[in-house]
Amino acid sequence: MTSALLSFAVVAGLVTIVPGLDTALVLRAALTRGRRVAFATALGVNTGVLVWGVAAAAGLSALLTASQLAFTVLRYAGAAYLVWFGVSMIRKARRPAEGVVEPPVREGGGLAGAWARGALTNLLNPKIGVFYVALLPQFLPQEAPPLLGGLLLAMVHNAEGMLWFTVLIFGAGAARSWLERPPARRVIDRVTGTVLVGFGLRLALSPQ
């Protein structure tokens, strides 16, 4: 099991540092709302990863792979959420008029809302489930209990994810004094919103 954990850690670490939707969400939170909200978002992202890892070990992700209907329903739900979230950010970025002093950003839900956004982003993405159901069997020893082994592997992925997000959050915090101005925040919201819409459309239009 130790050898399996180490091998999985290498693969999961490489997957973790590839720029993607999770990175965009956490960076945007760090740049516009500070470290506490960014860490709450990161915890939400990792909560979703952990749930998918346990679900894969328990067989739910295998069901999504076998059932085209279940996969399709969850795929479109996730795509709709990402597009809605991205469009709402783009619209918010366009709202303030030129020359108007913009108050500090206040998104609903505070830390709990940030956590929920991070978690929903992953929970509504069936490709993460498919990723786990394809990857976990390659690293689970035959003698290991599937649920416990899957949980351990998912926790390794979570630990690496939090370490990576911590680096990103503190790196972003160093530049926040230049980027926290309203015009910069609007640019960040536009870019992040566009990324979210792009991921959502790609998820909806992908054949599998």
Side-chain angles (χ1 to χ4, degrees):
M1 191 65 200
T2 301
S3 176
L5 287 173
L6 291 175
S7 300
F8 179 78
V10 173
V11 176
L14 293 174
V15 172
T16 298
I17 63 175
V18 174
L21 177 61
D22 297 342
T23 300
L25 286 178
V26 173
L27 272 178
R28 184 259 177 182
L31 291 171
T32 62
R33 303 189 66 200
R35 292 176 182 173
R36 293 182 63 199
V37 173
F39 274 113
T41 304
L43 285 173
V45 167
N46 281 344
T47 299
V49 169
L50 186 62
V51 170
W52 273 119
V54 173
L60 175 59
S61 292
L63 173 63
L64 289 175
T65 304
S67 171
Q68 184 63 36
L69 177 61
F71 180 88
T72 300
V73 169
L74 189 56
R75 176 161 61 93
Y76 282 119
Y81 171 76
L82 292 178
V83 171
W84 170 81
F85 191 13
V87 170
S88 66
M89 290 175 63
I90 294 171
R91 290 180 61 189
K92 186 183 71 175
R94 297 175 59 184
R95 203 171 298 156
E98 288 189 19
V100 176
V101 177
E102 182 183 4
V105 176
R106 289 291 182 269
E107 294 183 5
L111 296 180
W115 175 87
R117 281 187 290 274
L120 280 174
T121 298
N122 267 338
L123 290 175
L124 290 175
N125 187 354
K127 289 193 172 183
I128 297 177
V130 175
F131 165 79
Y132 265 110
V133 81
L135 196 64
L136 290 187
Q138 313 301 321
F139 293 93
L140 278 176
Q142 291 185 352
E143 67 276 6
L147 185 58
L148 177 59
L151 179 60
L152 288 174
L153 293 177
M155 289 178 68
V156 168
H157 194 186
N158 263 256
E160 292 180 330
M162 280 306 302
L163 179 62
W164 175 242
F165 287 144
T166 298
V167 172
L168 292 178
I169 290 168
F170 279 94
R176 193 183 178 205
S177 59
W178 290 276
L179 294 169
E180 65 184 355
R181 297 176 180 178
R185 276 206 304 268
R186 290 195 291 271
V187 170
I188 293 168
D189 280 348
R190 289 190 188 104
V191 172
T192 308
T194 302
V195 170
L196 291 174
V197 172
F199 271 98
L201 292 177
R202 189 175 70 174
L203 181 60
L205 299 175
S206 60
Q208 293 292 336

